[in-house]
Amino acid sequence: MAEARIHCCVGSCPRSIGVRAALKRFGRVPSEYICQHHWRRLSRDERRVWARHQRRRRRFGCDVAPGASARIWKRLKHRCAA
Ligand SMILES: [Zn+2]
């Protein structure tokens, strides 16, 4: 059986990432994924905010502000699809 893949969250995007590759890259299996192509569309600041939150989440084991990651992710998804 083929390995499960996570598709880019931009609907029309054909890119996806394998679960194993995602685990290696992100240290966890995300439920949603933004491919390199769409990730590049985000501004440097947006990517920086996300990176900072993920760093904190790794350190503390959860969001410092509850729901922060989900909120930021939602915004990134919206922005990268625009
Ligand atoms: Zn994409």
Side-chain angles (χ1 to χ4, degrees):
M1 197 178 93
E3 188 197 7
R5 297 190 71 81
I6 306 159
H7 290 272
C8 176
C9 68
V10 178
S12 57
C13 180
R15 294 173 185 81
S16 66
I17 189 171
V19 165
R20 240 176 329 193
L23 195 59
K24 206 168 149 195
R25 191 184 299 174
F26 307 118
R28 65 194 177 90
V29 179
S31 56
E32 293 177 312
Y33 160 71
I34 296 176
C35 72
Q36 285 304 306
H37 176 83
H38 284 106
W39 190 249
R40 266 212 317 270
R41 287 192 184 180
L42 302 171
S43 73
R44 177 184 280 249
D45 281 344
E46 285 166 332
R47 289 185 302 227
R48 199 153 46 195
V49 166
W50 179 250
R52 192 169 62 223
H53 272 265
Q54 295 320 293
R55 226 161 32 235
R56 285 185 190 158
R57 190 153 81 162
R58 271 199 298 276
R59 184 181 308 165
F60 299 112
C62 63
D63 281 348
V64 177
S69 286
R71 213 160 46 234
I72 298 166
W73 182 254
K74 207 170 144 190
R75 177 167 166 76
L76 293 183
K77 266 200 313 191
H78 183 76
R79 283 269 307 122
C80 76

